[in-house]
Amino acid sequence: MENKHKHEEKICARCGNAFVCKAGDIINCQCHGISCTNEAIEFVSERYDDCLCRGCLVSLNNGNR
């Protein structure tokens, strides 16, 4: 039986901390519930090619660049 819930250990490209990305189970993913500003989304998309940890997403969303 195939595992439908993809969980992947990742390293945050911004801070270097390890975290688990649960793209296949987004409700339980560490980023779930963060509503990023348009400015934060643009900043991340211009600089990073992969997921960032929750702490960095919150920090960037609060204007900390």
Side-chain angles (χ1 to χ4, degrees):
M1 181 174 221
E2 183 181 335
N3 183 359
K4 294 182 182 179
H5 297 292
K6 181 180 177 188
H7 298 139
E8 185 177 350
E9 290 187 28
K10 295 189 175 198
I11 302 296
C12 179
R14 183 171 181 257
C15 71
N17 287 332
F19 66 97
V20 176
C21 175
K22 297 180 181 177
D25 187 15
I26 196 67
I27 290 175
N28 292 306
C29 192
Q30 54 97 37
C31 67
H32 180 73
I34 299 174
S35 295
C36 289
T37 63
N38 288 336
E39 293 82 13
I41 292 168
E42 185 176 327
F43 183 86
V44 170
S45 67
E46 289 174 353
R47 288 164 182 79
Y48 304 104
D49 294 324
D50 206 352
C51 301
L52 300 180
C53 72
R54 182 176 190 87
C56 283
L57 290 173
V58 169
S59 180
L60 289 169
N61 205 37
N62 289 329
N64 300 316
R65 306 287 192 262

mmCIF file of all heavy atoms in Angstrom, residues 30-54:
data_model
loop_
_atom_site.group_PDB
_atom_site.id
_atom_site.type_symbol
_atom_site.label_atom_id
_atom_site.label_comp_id
_atom_site.label_asym_id
_atom_site.label_seq_id
_atom_site.Cartn_x
_atom_site.Cartn_y
_atom_site.Cartn_z
ATOM 1 N N GLN A 30 4.088 22.005 9.655
ATOM 2 C CA GLN A 30 4.550 23.071 10.536
ATOM 3 C C GLN A 30 4.196 24.460 10.021
ATOM 4 O O GLN A 30 4.109 25.407 10.778
ATOM 5 C CB GLN A 30 6.052 22.950 10.792
ATOM 6 C CG GLN A 30 6.905 22.892 9.529
ATOM 7 C CD GLN A 30 7.489 24.223 9.127
ATOM 8 O OE1 GLN A 30 7.874 25.014 9.974
ATOM 9 N NE2 GLN A 30 7.557 24.479 7.828
ATOM 10 N N CYS A 31 3.935 24.596 8.757
ATOM 11 C CA CYS A 31 3.599 25.908 8.194
ATOM 12 C C CYS A 31 2.095 26.173 8.157
ATOM 13 O O CYS A 31 1.671 27.284 7.860
ATOM 14 C CB CYS A 31 4.180 26.059 6.794
ATOM 15 S SG CYS A 31 3.439 24.971 5.562
ATOM 16 N N HIS A 32 1.299 25.166 8.458
ATOM 17 C CA HIS A 32 -0.158 25.322 8.387
ATOM 18 C C HIS A 32 -0.635 26.443 9.314
ATOM 19 O O HIS A 32 -0.203 26.564 10.449
ATOM 20 C CB HIS A 32 -0.855 24.018 8.766
ATOM 21 C CG HIS A 32 -2.342 24.116 8.711
ATOM 22 N ND1 HIS A 32 -3.026 24.165 7.528
ATOM 23 C CD2 HIS A 32 -3.269 24.203 9.689
ATOM 24 C CE1 HIS A 32 -4.319 24.263 7.776
ATOM 25 N NE2 HIS A 32 -4.493 24.292 9.086
ATOM 26 N N GLY A 33 -1.495 27.263 8.798
ATOM 27 C CA GLY A 33 -2.091 28.327 9.598
ATOM 28 C C GLY A 33 -1.373 29.660 9.516
ATOM 29 O O GLY A 33 -1.858 30.648 10.054
ATOM 30 N N ILE A 34 -0.222 29.694 8.862
ATOM 31 C CA ILE A 34 0.493 30.960 8.700
ATOM 32 C C ILE A 34 -0.028 31.636 7.434
ATOM 33 O O ILE A 34 0.020 31.068 6.351
ATOM 34 C CB ILE A 34 2.018 30.743 8.584
ATOM 35 C CG1 ILE A 34 2.561 30.079 9.837
ATOM 36 C CG2 ILE A 34 2.725 32.067 8.320
ATOM 37 C CD1 ILE A 34 4.025 29.689 9.747
ATOM 38 N N SER A 35 -0.551 32.826 7.596
ATOM 39 C CA SER A 35 -1.027 33.602 6.449
ATOM 40 C C SER A 35 0.002 34.691 6.166
ATOM 41 O O SER A 35 0.029 35.719 6.833
ATOM 42 C CB SER A 35 -2.386 34.231 6.760
ATOM 43 O OG SER A 35 -3.346 33.234 6.934
ATOM 44 N N CYS A 36 0.842 34.421 5.206
ATOM 45 C CA CYS A 36 1.922 35.360 4.890
ATOM 46 C C CYS A 36 1.415 36.575 4.130
ATOM 47 O O CYS A 36 0.495 36.478 3.320
ATOM 48 C CB CYS A 36 3.008 34.667 4.070
ATOM 49 S SG CYS A 36 3.973 33.493 5.027
ATOM 50 N N THR A 37 2.048 37.699 4.393
ATOM 51 C CA THR A 37 1.747 38.917 3.655
ATOM 52 C C THR A 37 2.263 38.767 2.225
ATOM 53 O O THR A 37 3.127 37.934 1.944
ATOM 54 C CB THR A 37 2.425 40.136 4.293
ATOM 55 O OG1 THR A 37 3.850 39.958 4.216
ATOM 56 C CG2 THR A 37 2.007 40.335 5.747
ATOM 57 N N ASN A 38 1.747 39.590 1.328
ATOM 58 C CA ASN A 38 2.238 39.573 -0.054
ATOM 59 C C ASN A 38 3.727 39.896 -0.105
ATOM 60 O O ASN A 38 4.463 39.327 -0.906
ATOM 61 C CB ASN A 38 1.449 40.551 -0.914
ATOM 62 C CG ASN A 38 0.048 40.071 -1.191
ATOM 63 O OD1 ASN A 38 -0.238 38.871 -1.138
ATOM 64 N ND2 ASN A 38 -0.845 41.001 -1.475
ATOM 65 N N GLU A 39 4.165 40.803 0.751
ATOM 66 C CA GLU A 39 5.587 41.172 0.789
ATOM 67 C C GLU A 39 6.447 39.983 1.213
ATOM 68 O O GLU A 39 7.516 39.742 0.640
ATOM 69 C CB GLU A 39 5.811 42.346 1.736
ATOM 70 C CG GLU A 39 5.191 43.645 1.277
ATOM 71 C CD GLU A 39 3.701 43.764 1.603
ATOM 72 O OE1 GLU A 39 3.173 42.945 2.401
ATOM 73 O OE2 GLU A 39 3.055 44.654 1.035
ATOM 74 N N ALA A 40 5.991 39.225 2.200
ATOM 75 C CA ALA A 40 6.750 38.055 2.660
ATOM 76 C C ALA A 40 6.794 36.981 1.582
ATOM 77 O O ALA A 40 7.840 36.369 1.343
ATOM 78 C CB ALA A 40 6.141 37.501 3.945
ATOM 79 N N ILE A 41 5.679 36.768 0.919
ATOM 80 C CA ILE A 41 5.633 35.775 -0.158
ATOM 81 C C ILE A 41 6.605 36.147 -1.272
ATOM 82 O O ILE A 41 7.355 35.308 -1.762
ATOM 83 C CB ILE A 41 4.195 35.624 -0.702
ATOM 84 C CG1 ILE A 41 3.307 34.994 0.369
ATOM 85 C CG2 ILE A 41 4.181 34.807 -1.986
ATOM 86 C CD1 ILE A 41 1.824 35.056 0.050
ATOM 87 N N GLU A 42 6.594 37.410 -1.661
ATOM 88 C CA GLU A 42 7.496 37.877 -2.713
ATOM 89 C C GLU A 42 8.955 37.724 -2.290
ATOM 90 O O GLU A 42 9.794 37.254 -3.062
ATOM 91 C CB GLU A 42 7.197 39.335 -3.035
ATOM 92 C CG GLU A 42 7.997 39.875 -4.195
ATOM 93 C CD GLU A 42 7.604 41.307 -4.549
ATOM 94 O OE1 GLU A 42 6.432 41.661 -4.405
ATOM 95 O OE2 GLU A 42 8.511 42.043 -4.975
ATOM 96 N N PHE A 43 9.275 38.101 -1.059
ATOM 97 C CA PHE A 43 10.633 38.003 -0.543
ATOM 98 C C PHE A 43 11.118 36.550 -0.576
ATOM 99 O O PHE A 43 12.217 36.259 -1.053
ATOM 100 C CB PHE A 43 10.686 38.554 0.890
ATOM 101 C CG PHE A 43 12.056 38.555 1.491
ATOM 102 C CD1 PHE A 43 12.922 39.617 1.275
ATOM 103 C CD2 PHE A 43 12.492 37.499 2.282
ATOM 104 C CE1 PHE A 43 14.195 39.620 1.828
ATOM 105 C CE2 PHE A 43 13.759 37.495 2.837
ATOM 106 C CZ PHE A 43 14.610 38.560 2.611
ATOM 107 N N VAL A 44 10.297 35.645 -0.082
ATOM 108 C CA VAL A 44 10.674 34.223 -0.037
ATOM 109 C C VAL A 44 10.820 33.668 -1.450
ATOM 110 O O VAL A 44 11.806 32.992 -1.757
ATOM 111 C CB VAL A 44 9.639 33.412 0.781
ATOM 112 C CG1 VAL A 44 9.879 31.916 0.631
ATOM 113 C CG2 VAL A 44 9.694 33.805 2.250
ATOM 114 N N SER A 45 9.872 33.951 -2.323
ATOM 115 C CA SER A 45 9.923 33.378 -3.670
ATOM 116 C C SER A 45 11.114 33.872 -4.488
ATOM 117 O O SER A 45 11.613 33.163 -5.352
ATOM 118 C CB SER A 45 8.615 33.640 -4.417
ATOM 119 O OG SER A 45 8.454 35.011 -4.685
ATOM 120 N N GLU A 46 11.588 35.082 -4.189
ATOM 121 C CA GLU A 46 12.746 35.620 -4.905
ATOM 122 C C GLU A 46 14.072 35.058 -4.392
ATOM 123 O O GLU A 46 15.073 35.117 -5.098
ATOM 124 C CB GLU A 46 12.777 37.142 -4.780
ATOM 125 C CG GLU A 46 11.698 37.838 -5.570
ATOM 126 C CD GLU A 46 11.656 39.339 -5.330
ATOM 127 O OE1 GLU A 46 12.376 39.851 -4.440
ATOM 128 O OE2 GLU A 46 10.887 40.015 -6.039
ATOM 129 N N ARG A 47 14.090 34.528 -3.176
ATOM 130 C CA ARG A 47 15.352 34.138 -2.556
ATOM 131 C C ARG A 47 15.525 32.657 -2.255
ATOM 132 O O ARG A 47 16.636 32.186 -2.093
ATOM 133 C CB ARG A 47 15.539 34.925 -1.268
ATOM 134 C CG ARG A 47 15.857 36.386 -1.540
ATOM 135 C CD ARG A 47 15.654 37.233 -0.296
ATOM 136 N NE ARG A 47 15.925 38.642 -0.583
ATOM 137 C CZ ARG A 47 15.093 39.470 -1.188
ATOM 138 N NH1 ARG A 47 13.915 39.045 -1.602
ATOM 139 N NH2 ARG A 47 15.424 40.727 -1.410
ATOM 140 N N TYR A 48 14.437 31.928 -2.150
ATOM 141 C CA TYR A 48 14.518 30.531 -1.721
ATOM 142 C C TYR A 48 13.761 29.619 -2.681
ATOM 143 O O TYR A 48 12.727 29.987 -3.216
ATOM 144 C CB TYR A 48 13.951 30.385 -0.300
ATOM 145 C CG TYR A 48 14.635 31.289 0.697
ATOM 146 C CD1 TYR A 48 14.003 32.446 1.152
ATOM 147 C CD2 TYR A 48 15.916 31.022 1.163
ATOM 148 C CE1 TYR A 48 14.630 33.295 2.056
ATOM 149 C CE2 TYR A 48 16.550 31.857 2.062
ATOM 150 C CZ TYR A 48 15.901 32.995 2.508
ATOM 151 O OH TYR A 48 16.525 33.835 3.393
ATOM 152 N N ASP A 49 14.295 28.410 -2.853
ATOM 153 C CA ASP A 49 13.686 27.436 -3.753
ATOM 154 C C ASP A 49 12.944 26.326 -3.022
ATOM 155 O O ASP A 49 12.418 25.425 -3.662
ATOM 156 C CB ASP A 49 14.758 26.790 -4.635
ATOM 157 C CG ASP A 49 15.385 27.784 -5.587
ATOM 158 O OD1 ASP A 49 14.657 28.676 -6.069
ATOM 159 O OD2 ASP A 49 16.593 27.675 -5.839
ATOM 160 N N ASP A 50 12.910 26.381 -1.699
ATOM 161 C CA ASP A 50 12.302 25.301 -0.936
ATOM 162 C C ASP A 50 11.618 25.878 0.300
ATOM 163 O O ASP A 50 11.646 27.083 0.540
ATOM 164 C CB ASP A 50 13.367 24.279 -0.540
ATOM 165 C CG ASP A 50 12.803 22.881 -0.329
ATOM 166 O OD1 ASP A 50 11.559 22.719 -0.330
ATOM 167 O OD2 ASP A 50 13.599 21.946 -0.146
ATOM 168 N N CYS A 51 11.024 25.009 1.075
ATOM 169 C CA CYS A 51 10.309 25.409 2.285
ATOM 170 C C CYS A 51 11.251 26.052 3.302
ATOM 171 O O CYS A 51 12.439 25.745 3.342
ATOM 172 C CB CYS A 51 9.686 24.192 2.959
ATOM 173 S SG CYS A 51 8.530 23.280 1.954
ATOM 174 N N LEU A 52 10.675 26.930 4.117
ATOM 175 C CA LEU A 52 11.381 27.490 5.266
ATOM 176 C C LEU A 52 10.696 26.990 6.526
ATOM 177 O O LEU A 52 9.519 26.622 6.497
ATOM 178 C CB LEU A 52 11.348 29.022 5.231
ATOM 179 C CG LEU A 52 11.978 29.703 4.016
ATOM 180 C CD1 LEU A 52 11.859 31.216 4.162
ATOM 181 C CD2 LEU A 52 13.416 29.292 3.823
ATOM 182 N N CYS A 53 11.413 27.001 7.628
ATOM 183 C CA CYS A 53 10.829 26.553 8.890
ATOM 184 C C CYS A 53 9.772 27.553 9.376
ATOM 185 O O CYS A 53 9.725 28.711 8.932
ATOM 186 C CB CYS A 53 11.907 26.353 9.952
ATOM 187 S SG CYS A 53 12.641 27.876 10.586
ATOM 188 N N ARG A 54 8.949 27.120 10.298
ATOM 189 C CA ARG A 54 7.867 27.960 10.820
ATOM 190 C C ARG A 54 8.413 29.243 11.431
ATOM 191 O O ARG A 54 7.874 30.322 11.212
ATOM 192 C CB ARG A 54 7.047 27.174 11.849
ATOM 193 C CG ARG A 54 5.877 27.965 12.388
ATOM 194 C CD ARG A 54 5.009 27.142 13.347
ATOM 195 N NE ARG A 54 3.797 27.858 13.645
ATOM 196 C CZ ARG A 54 2.689 27.811 12.927
ATOM 197 N NH1 ARG A 54 2.634 27.043 11.851
ATOM 198 N NH2 ARG A 54 1.617 28.510 13.257
#
